[in-house]
């Protein structure tokens, strides 16, 4: 008998050690009063107590549980034999002398004897307080965000690529004039978009799939409202990547910009009227100006034949001024065409250096003061509009001469860089300040210095040049330092160009 008792004590000790080392918080209760038979350190830690609770009823060991649902739940499991589980249940416990709220996932399971009779309850629990508090913070943040979005009349959307559905919140559906709940196909979302804008919206959205895209879309378009009115929306979004290359979702916002667009439309109408006036005026003025230039050249030749060189020189100056007026009229016409997307191009293959040298011959004829040095290392052909590229070169060279009156040297280079050909004009004149350098290609912009205002011009040449290079698929830029000089450059792509 003594050996049997010793074996039992050893078995109980092994069981106790095993029980205490269970990773999860675990306790065993007996009887309806839920006497604590065993509780491992993790469970005792949850209660904020010590090992003295063993042998006490649960309500006496942890008095703060009185009035909470746990004791009655345990007793119900004891009576019915049906296990009970809960997720993220809140429990108020006294820990370190303070009543605090904790959250637990727990299970109450009945313990039965060899006859199948219930003799106790085994309780296992996991502390999920940090997770619940984090979820509460996220929920509170989302609630604040949703409130802010609703206050600002901003709708949200999410496009699920795996199911090919675009989900709009209530305001987003309202802005799009839709009433269906849940996910919609992209085509269904576009059903109320103005027919003239559907392609732009579709392309803006689908371009985010391209390998060279940054994964964002941004477009403004019109919606036809149920009463056949027009509403302007601003649709902005960003791709969400599942891994480095795979786009899983697009998410973004949509806003009603009808009021803002009304002002823009008014400005567009004014701009159109201005451009229309400039176009008509330029066309109407070109004919008499051309006639004046022809008569002036004829009079110049007649006066030279008669030997009246003084008057002939006056006519030469008049012809020069008429030429400047002609250039101004052509610039105004080009600006009008640019603003109305009507700038025409006639492209073919040309020797790039021949375009440069043709322009330089004209410059040598007009200007003998500056020595123009060249380093034309690019020897290939390029597909472009020769007259338009000549126009850009002429403008850059003329500006270099104009804005370096006290210098006698201009440097022109051509070179291939990667897949582009680069043309540059360097002068050593007045230069451009850092605050002005980013605006030199703006329409009608002129550098705001007293010295710069002494030069003629309306600030159209660089604006037109920039637009020509843009439409030729290239880039234009300037590097400059005040009182040191400027280098104006443009590049044109060579892919599919060299022949």
């Amino acid at each position: 008998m003594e050996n049997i008792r010793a074996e039992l004590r050893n078995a109980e000790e092994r069981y106790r050690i095993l029980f205490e080392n269970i990773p999860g918080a675990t306790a065993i209760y007996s009887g309806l009063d839920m006497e604590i038979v065993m509780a491992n350190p993790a469970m005792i830690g949850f209660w904020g107590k010590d090992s003295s609770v063993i042998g006490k009823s649960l309500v006496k060991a942890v008095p703060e549980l009185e009035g909470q649902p746990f004791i009655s739940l345990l007793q119900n499991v004891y009576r019915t034999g049906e296990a009970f589980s809960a997720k993220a249940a809140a429990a108020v416990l006294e820990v370190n002398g303070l009543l605090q709220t904790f959250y637990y996932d727990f299970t109450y399971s009945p313990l039965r004897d060899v006859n199948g009779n219930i003799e106790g309850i085994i309780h296992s629990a996991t502390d999920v307080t940090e997770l619940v508090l984090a979820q509460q913070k996220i929920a509170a943040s989302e609630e604040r965000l949703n409130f802010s979005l609703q206050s600002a009349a901003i709708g949200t959307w999410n496009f699920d690529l795996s199911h090919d559905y675009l989900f709009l919140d209530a305001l987003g559906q309202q802005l799009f004039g839709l009433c269906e709940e849940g996910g919609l196909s992209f085509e269904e979302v576009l059903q109320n978009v103005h027919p003239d804008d559907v392609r732009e919206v579709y392309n803006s959205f689908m371009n985010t799939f391209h390998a060279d895209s940054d994964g964002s879309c941004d477009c403004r378009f019109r919606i036809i409202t149920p009463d056949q009115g027009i509403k302007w929306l601003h649709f902005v979004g960003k791709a969400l990547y599942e891994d480095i290359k795979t786009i899983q979702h697009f998410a973004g916002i949509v806003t009603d910009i009808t009021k803002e667009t009304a002002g823009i439309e008014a400005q567009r109408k004014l701009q159109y009227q201005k451009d229309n006036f400039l176009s008509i005026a330029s066309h109407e003025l070109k004919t008499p100006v051309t006639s004046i230039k022809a008569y002036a050249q004829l009079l110049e030749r007649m006066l030279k034949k008669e030997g009246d060189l003084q008057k002939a020189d006056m006519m030469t100056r008049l012809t020069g001024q008429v030429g400047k007026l002609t250039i101004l009229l052509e610039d105004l016409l080009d600006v009008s065409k640019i603003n109305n997307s009507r700038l025409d191009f006639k492209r073919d293959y040309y020797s790039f250096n021949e375009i440069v040298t043709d322009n330089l011959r004209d410059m040598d004829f007009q200007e003998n003061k500056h020595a123009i040095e060249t380093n034309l290392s690019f020897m290939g052909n390029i597909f472009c509009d020769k007259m338009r590229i000549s126009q850009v070169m002429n403008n850059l060279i003329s500006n270099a001469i104009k804005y370096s009156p006290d210098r006698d040297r201009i440097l022109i280079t051509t070179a291939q860089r990667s897949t582009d050909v680069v043309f540059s004009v360097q002068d050593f004149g007045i230069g451009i300040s850092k605050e002005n350098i980013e605006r030199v290609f703006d329409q009608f912009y002129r550098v705001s210095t007293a010295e710069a205002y002494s030069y003629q011009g309306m600030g159209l040449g660089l604006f037109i040049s920039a637009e020509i290079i843009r439409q030729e698929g290239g880039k234009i830029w300037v590097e400059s330092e005040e009182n040191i000089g400027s280098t104006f450059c443009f590049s044109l792509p060579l892919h599919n160009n060299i022949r």
Side-chain angles (χ1 to χ4, degrees):
M1 288 298 294
E2 192 63 34
N3 290 335
I4 293 172
R5 291 191 186 96
E7 285 295 329
L8 286 173
R9 283 195 299 272
N10 290 335
E12 288 175 355
E13 181 63 18
R14 288 195 299 271
Y15 181 72
R16 184 188 64 79
I17 293 172
L18 177 63
F19 185 85
E20 288 181 352
N21 285 279
I22 294 174
T26 308
I28 295 176
Y29 314 118
S30 67
L32 271 174
D33 59 352
M34 297 300 138
E35 178 186 335
I36 303 172
V37 178
M38 299 183 74
N40 67 358
M43 184 65 79
I44 294 174
F46 283 179
W47 293 333
K49 305 298 186 288
D50 56 35
S51 59
S52 63
V53 298
I54 304 299
K56 296 179 181 179
S57 67
L58 185 58
V59 73
K60 287 183 179 180
V62 191
E64 60 267 29
L65 290 179
E66 189 171 3
Q68 298 185 57
F70 306 106
I71 302 296
S72 61
L73 288 172
L74 283 163
Q75 291 172 339
N76 188 61
V77 173
Y78 188 85
R79 292 190 187 97
T80 65
E82 295 180 2
F84 179 84
S85 296
K87 296 285 187 183
V92 179
L93 298 170
E94 185 178 331
V95 178
N96 298 325
L98 296 173
L99 284 175
Q100 303 177 54
T101 300
F102 299 90
Y103 297 88
Y104 300 98
D105 293 347
F106 67 86
T107 300
Y108 298 152
S109 300
L111 282 175
R112 300 178 186 272
D113 60 19
V114 293
N115 297 317
N117 298 318
I118 297 173
E119 60 178 0
I121 304 292
I122 183 168
H123 171 198
S124 60
T126 303
D127 188 347
V128 293
T129 303
E130 290 187 5
L131 176 62
V132 171
L133 293 179
Q135 290 173 339
Q136 288 176 350
K137 287 182 179 179
I138 292 172
S141 177
E142 288 180 348
E143 185 176 354
R144 288 193 298 271
L145 175 61
N146 289 334
F147 178 78
S148 299
L149 291 173
Q150 291 173 8
S151 299
I154 298 175
T156 61
W157 57 270
N158 179 32
F159 187 58
D160 184 349
L161 270 69
S162 60
H163 297 92
D164 194 27
Y165 275 117
L166 194 146
F167 296 87
L168 292 159
D169 67 358
L171 182 57
Q173 291 184 7
Q174 178 184 338
L175 292 175
F176 273 90
L178 303 170
C179 57
E180 294 86 350
E181 295 184 0
L184 298 166
S185 68
F186 193 54
E187 287 73 17
E188 289 174 323
V189 174
L190 295 178
Q191 64 185 353
N192 292 336
V193 174
H194 194 286
D196 293 344
D197 297 344
V198 169
R199 178 55 55 184
E200 180 181 351
V201 176
Y202 184 84
N203 288 341
S204 176
F205 195 81
M206 292 304 169
N207 283 342
T208 55
F209 290 98
H210 292 173
D212 57 350
S213 169
D214 64 355
S216 62
C217 62
D218 186 334
C219 60
R220 292 168 172 81
F221 54 91
R222 291 164 292 179
I223 288 288
I224 300 176
T225 62
D227 60 357
Q228 299 304 305
I230 295 294
K231 178 166 58 181
W232 279 89
L233 299 184
H234 186 194
F235 194 74
V236 182
K238 186 74 175 179
L240 306 176
Y241 290 85
E242 184 176 330
D243 52 44
I244 296 176
K245 296 182 178 180
T246 305
I247 299 175
Q248 183 179 23
H249 288 274
F250 283 108
I253 60 173
V254 57
T255 53
D256 187 338
I257 57 168
T258 304
K259 291 182 179 179
E260 296 91 325
T261 307
I264 296 173
E265 285 296 308
Q267 291 179 353
R268 285 178 178 173
K269 288 182 179 178
L270 289 174
Q271 181 70 32
Y272 174 77
Q273 292 173 348
K274 183 192 75 174
D275 292 339
N276 196 39
F277 168 77
L278 289 176
S279 178
I280 294 172
S282 300
H283 275 295
E284 293 298 323
L285 287 170
K286 279 192 74 174
T287 300
V289 166
T290 301
S291 298
I292 291 171
K293 185 175 182 179
Y295 284 125
Q297 290 172 335
L298 179 61
L299 285 172
E300 178 187 351
R301 288 194 293 269
M302 292 172 64
L303 289 169
K304 284 182 178 179
K305 285 182 179 180
E306 293 174 2
D308 195 339
L309 298 181
Q310 184 178 5
K311 291 180 181 179
D313 182 63
M314 292 174 63
M315 295 309 300
T316 300
R317 294 176 183 273
L318 175 61
T319 302
Q321 294 301 315
V322 173
K324 292 179 180 179
L325 180 57
T326 301
I327 293 172
L328 174 59
L329 291 175
E330 290 174 350
D331 283 349
L332 289 173
L333 273 173
D334 282 343
V335 169
S336 175
K337 291 176 181 178
I338 290 170
N339 290 334
N340 289 283
S341 301
R342 295 201 312 266
L343 197 63
D344 55 316
F345 289 82
K346 297 177 181 178
R347 297 180 176 93
D348 204 341
Y349 286 95
Y350 299 98
S351 166
F352 192 71
N353 280 347
E354 282 187 13
I355 301 176
V356 178
T357 54
D358 286 347
N359 275 276
L360 293 182
R361 279 194 291 270
D362 294 337
M363 287 294 147
D364 288 338
F365 177 78
Q366 296 175 13
E367 179 62 54
N368 295 316
K369 180 180 178 182
H370 288 78
I372 298 180
E373 302 174 14
T374 61
N375 181 12
L376 310 181
S377 63
F378 177 74
M379 305 303 294
N381 295 340
I382 190 164
F383 188 73
C384 67
D385 184 314
K386 180 180 179 180
M387 295 304 296
R388 291 297 183 188
I389 297 301
S390 295
Q391 183 179 349
V392 175
M393 291 178 178
N394 187 283
N395 184 267
L396 299 184
I397 297 170
S398 297
N399 282 350
I401 293 170
K402 182 193 301 183
Y403 291 106
S404 57
D406 299 326
R407 300 290 187 270
D408 58 3
R409 177 170 170 252
I410 300 293
L411 177 61
I412 296 174
T413 63
T414 66
Q416 181 173 344
R417 294 182 188 173
S418 185
T419 58
D420 294 339
V421 57
V422 178
F423 172 88
S424 65
V425 179
Q426 182 179 6
D427 67 61
F428 305 91
I430 65 174
I432 307 167
S433 65
K434 290 182 179 179
E435 57 268 23
N436 290 323
I437 201 167
E438 292 184 358
R439 300 186 58 194
V440 295
F441 298 106
D442 291 352
Q443 185 176 348
F444 297 114
Y445 182 76
R446 298 186 64 201
V447 177
S448 56
T449 64
E451 189 174 3
Y453 274 118
S454 65
Y455 302 104
Q456 296 179 347
M458 292 185 65
L460 295 177
L462 289 177
F463 168 73
I464 295 169
S465 297
E467 184 62 23
I468 290 172
I469 295 302
R470 186 189 71 81
Q471 293 199 36
E472 288 282 16
K475 297 178 182 178
I476 189 167
W477 68 95
V478 59
E479 299 168 358
S480 184
E481 189 174 344
E482 219 168 356
N483 301 317
I484 299 297
S486 303
T487 301
F488 280 83
C489 310
F490 70 80
S491 65
L492 294 172
L494 292 176
H495 55 272
N496 300 323
N497 275 338
I498 297 178
R499 187 177 67 172

